[in-house]
């Protein structure tokens, strides 16, 4: 699976993330078919991207972490803010309206989004310790149209959780 700290700035992140006991978040990803990609200083410093993966058939996953400057945003404001990190997400808005639901996992309230289009996005966002964490899973629309593929992608998104570490 994937783990990360969501810390600010610093050196280039090496492949492999952090160990489970140091992590501030975690998620399940099939490491047999997905490849972890390095995150450079620009991705980390400008976009807050903390981990990134490439999967088969154009699938992608990444996690971002940044200060939660407005933790009380509406879901609509939050998705607009998150779309600045992934320009293709803005394109998906042109063909479909995002849907969302809320859930609580280990005491953390999450907002889960689904944006469908030629390239579709599943996003889970939550705030802990004054940081916004958002996990993105994206794939061509055909992957979400296939029930088995969609189930795997939704499971990956649903596995994202935050750990209460200072």
């Amino acid at each position: 699976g994937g783990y990360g700290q969501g810390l600010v700035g610093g050196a280039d992140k090496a492949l492999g993330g952090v160990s489970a006991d140091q992590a501030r978040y975690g998620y399940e990803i099939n490491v047999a078919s997905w490849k972890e990609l390095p995150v450079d200083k620009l991705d980390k410093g400008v976009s807050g991207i903390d981990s990134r993966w490439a999967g088969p058939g154009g699938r992608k996953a990444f996690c971002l972490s940044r200060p939660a400057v407005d933790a009380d945003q509406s879901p609509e404001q939050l998705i607009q803010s998150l779309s600045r990190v992934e320009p293709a997400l803005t394109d998906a808005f042109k063909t479909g309206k995002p849907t969302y639901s809320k859930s609580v996992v280990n005491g953390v309230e999450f907002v889960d989004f689904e944006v469908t289009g030629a390239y579709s996005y599943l996003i889970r966002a939550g705030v802990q310790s004054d940081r916004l964490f958002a996990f993105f899973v994206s794939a061509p629309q055909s992957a979400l149209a296939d029930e088995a593929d969609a189930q795997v992608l939704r499971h990956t998104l649903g596995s994202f959780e935050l750990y209460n570490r200072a």
Side-chain angles (χ1 to χ4, degrees), residues 21-105:
D21 63 333
Q22 297 173 319
R24 294 188 59 194
Y25 65 83
Y27 50 85
E28 295 175 25
I29 201 154
N30 183 347
V31 295
S33 60
W34 288 68
K35 179 182 177 183
E36 187 173 13
L37 303 174
V39 175
D40 62 29
K41 290 180 185 178
L42 183 64
D43 281 340
K44 181 66 179 162
V46 174
S47 301
I49 293 175
D50 198 56
S51 63
R52 182 190 307 272
W53 295 79
R59 291 160 179 80
K60 298 186 295 185
F62 65 92
C63 183
L64 68 80
S65 164
R66 61 185 187 204
V69 292
D70 187 359
D72 297 325
Q73 291 183 16
S74 71
E76 292 80 7
Q77 292 168 319
L78 178 58
I79 194 71
Q80 288 295 329
S81 171
L82 293 173
S83 71
R84 292 185 198 110
V85 174
E86 178 72 358
L89 182 56
T90 303
D91 293 338
F93 289 151
K94 295 174 185 170
T95 58
K97 184 176 183 202
T99 59
Y100 70 90
S101 61
K102 293 184 177 185
S103 62
V104 176
V105 179

Side-chain angles (χ1 to χ4, degrees), residues 93-159:
F93 289 151
K94 295 174 185 170
T95 58
K97 184 176 183 202
T99 59
Y100 70 90
S101 61
K102 293 184 177 185
S103 62
V104 176
V105 179
N106 297 330
V108 178
E109 183 177 299
F110 287 101
V111 181
D112 291 349
F113 297 96
E114 183 166 331
V115 184
T116 55
Y119 208 81
S120 298
Y121 290 84
L122 304 172
I123 304 165
R124 172 169 278 187
V127 174
Q128 186 173 66
S129 302
D130 295 324
R131 291 200 69 78
L132 168 68
F133 293 87
F135 185 55
F136 293 65
V137 178
S138 58
Q141 177 55 36
S142 59
L144 284 180
D146 178 274
E147 192 55 43
D149 270 354
Q151 187 174 1
V152 169
L153 295 169
R154 285 190 175 93
H155 174 79
T156 300
L157 182 78
S159 71

